[in-house]
Amino acid sequence: EDIVRDLGTALSEFGFVICDPFNFQWYNQLAKPNHRIDLHSSNQLGIVIGCQKDVFPHWKEYLEQHGASANPIDDYCTYAVTQACQQFDGVYDYEILFSHFTPRHAKFVHIQTAGHVAGCAYYDHDTFWSTHTRYGFWFVFKAVVLFKDVEYLLPQKQLEPVLNQQQKKKIMALTEKAMNESWRNRTTLLQIRDSIDLGREYRYEKPWLDYFYPIDTSKQEAIDQIIQLGKPTI
């Protein structure tokens, strides 16, 4: 519990609000065989990390200091989570698995499954979407920290499905449409997130929305607008 508390406190300084523990054996029991993690013991502690729009002001500060890279949000999350975990260096044997790691990486974790077994957000296998009981679809998991020498023995939180059948039917249709569009039609992707009222108060605002869903502008134009936020105009 001290590890989770200390990590959550450090992450909050970077705008992260999700920091939930789980037993990695729970993850391996649900994950596909090629997504399972080799464990040193059956009860190893994992912590899933995520954020919603509260992260954006912190990301803006990072952009102002470091500039925009090819993948600025992934770079910020890598920086923030790595910094927050440094307190454990030399104390625990841990490893960070980021959401932008693909199955081609030596270490890949299906992060939605991790979020589900942590009791954070219900992962619906029919729609392929995770729904948070507070944030709805307006959140994202960014990393999992695996502690190789710490066990987690508390009981698992059980989640109930969040979506009703009508909502699932609509989301499944939109998801199929998005897949047929190779996930490139940002309008369809935005329609999925807007398809339920839950978490609507956490909906992204411009220019942040334009970065993640560049429908009327480019990502670079959105980044430029983000950096200029709050600065006086001439």
Side-chain angles (χ1 to χ4, degrees), residues 62-230:
Y62 177 85
L63 288 172
E64 291 172 340
Q65 295 174 10
H66 300 274
S69 62
N71 298 292
I73 189 64
D74 287 344
D75 287 346
Y76 172 68
C77 292
T78 298
Y79 167 79
V81 175
T82 301
Q83 289 289 312
C85 287
Q86 282 185 351
Q87 61 183 302
F88 305 126
D89 288 355
V91 182
Y92 301 110
D93 183 8
Y94 69 90
E95 184 175 7
I96 306 172
L97 310 175
F98 289 99
S99 62
H100 54 268
F101 287 179
T102 70
R104 295 180 181 180
H105 285 80
K107 286 289 188 178
F108 168 80
V109 62
H110 189 266
I111 204 160
Q112 290 173 296
T113 298
H116 182 90
V117 298
C120 179
Y122 187 92
Y123 177 54
D124 190 294
H125 289 265
D126 295 327
T127 64
F128 306 115
W129 287 84
S130 292
T131 312
H132 194 280
T133 55
R134 181 177 180 183
Y135 308 130
F137 289 154
W138 292 101
F139 79 102
V140 63
F141 293 125
K142 296 307 296 183
V144 167
V145 185
L146 169 62
F147 288 85
K148 301 177 182 179
D149 52 356
V150 180
E151 293 191 334
Y152 185 72
L153 301 175
L154 294 180
Q156 184 176 3
K157 299 176 184 177
Q158 298 298 324
L159 291 176
E160 296 295 329
V162 180
L163 304 174
N164 60 42
Q165 289 301 313
Q166 184 177 2
Q167 291 171 325
K168 286 181 62 169
K169 184 177 179 180
K170 180 178 180 180
I171 294 165
M172 289 169 66
L174 286 169
T175 300
E176 183 178 3
K177 184 173 185 287
M179 293 174 66
N180 291 335
E181 297 166 342
S182 300
W183 302 100
R184 294 176 180 175
N185 189 330
R186 303 299 178 180
T187 300
T188 304
L189 297 179
L190 188 56
Q191 288 175 341
I192 294 174
R193 286 206 170 186
D194 278 333
S195 62
I196 60 175
D197 291 331
L198 179 64
R200 188 61 60 89
E201 64 268 34
Y202 296 96
R203 190 180 194 270
Y204 302 165
E205 301 165 350
K206 287 180 174 290
W208 317 101
L209 186 68
D210 289 332
Y211 174 79
F212 293 100
Y213 299 93
I215 298 170
D216 300 319
T217 185
S218 68
K219 280 182 174 285
Q220 186 56 55
E221 289 172 334
I223 287 290
D224 293 341
Q225 292 173 20
I226 289 169
I227 293 175
Q228 291 301 316
L229 279 176

Side-chain angles (χ1 to χ4, degrees), residues 21-33:
F22 64 95
N23 183 319
F24 240 101
Q25 187 61 33
W26 305 338
Y27 167 85
N28 278 350
Q29 289 170 353
L30 286 185
K32 295 180 179 180

